Amino acid sequence: MLSLRPNCECCDRDLPPEGREAMICTFECTFCADCAEEKLAGICPNCSGELVRRPVRPAAMLKKYPASTERVLKPQGCAPDKAA
């Protein structure tokens, strides 16, 4: 099950679980749509994977399986990692 992280790893923007602005890779690295498109060109800076829109968990399931509250932020910024 997706953890539905609460923020963009790049700019720390809040990304509510019911919103449609979150983009994720297969490792659930999470970015806002603006950073994913404008800064990262749709590629995860952590794994070089494709960033796609995160699905929205239905409200009833969100109550039973709440979103993560753990914030992840890249201290070095969100430029793609040259080593990846």
Side-chain angles (χ1 to χ4, degrees), residues 3-7 67-73:
S3 63
L4 303 177
R5 295 178 184 164
N7 67 307
S68 173
T69 58
E70 179 184 350
R71 297 181 82 84
V72 176
L73 188 61

Side-chain angles (χ1 to χ4, degrees), residues 52-70:
V52 298
R53 189 178 71 77
R54 180 178 72 188
V56 175
R57 187 169 297 155
M61 291 291 102
L62 194 56
K63 287 180 183 178
K64 186 173 182 178
Y65 303 103
S68 173
T69 58
E70 179 184 350

Side-chain angles (χ1 to χ4, degrees), residues 30-75:
T30 304
F31 302 92
C32 69
D34 291 340
C35 286
E37 294 168 14
E38 296 170 15
K39 296 179 181 177
L40 302 172
I43 303 298
C44 178
N46 302 322
C47 70
S48 299
E50 178 184 19
L51 293 170
V52 298
R53 189 178 71 77
R54 180 178 72 188
V56 175
R57 187 169 297 155
M61 291 291 102
L62 194 56
K63 287 180 183 178
K64 186 173 182 178
Y65 303 103
S68 173
T69 58
E70 179 184 350
R71 297 181 82 84
V72 176
L73 188 61
K74 294 178 66 58

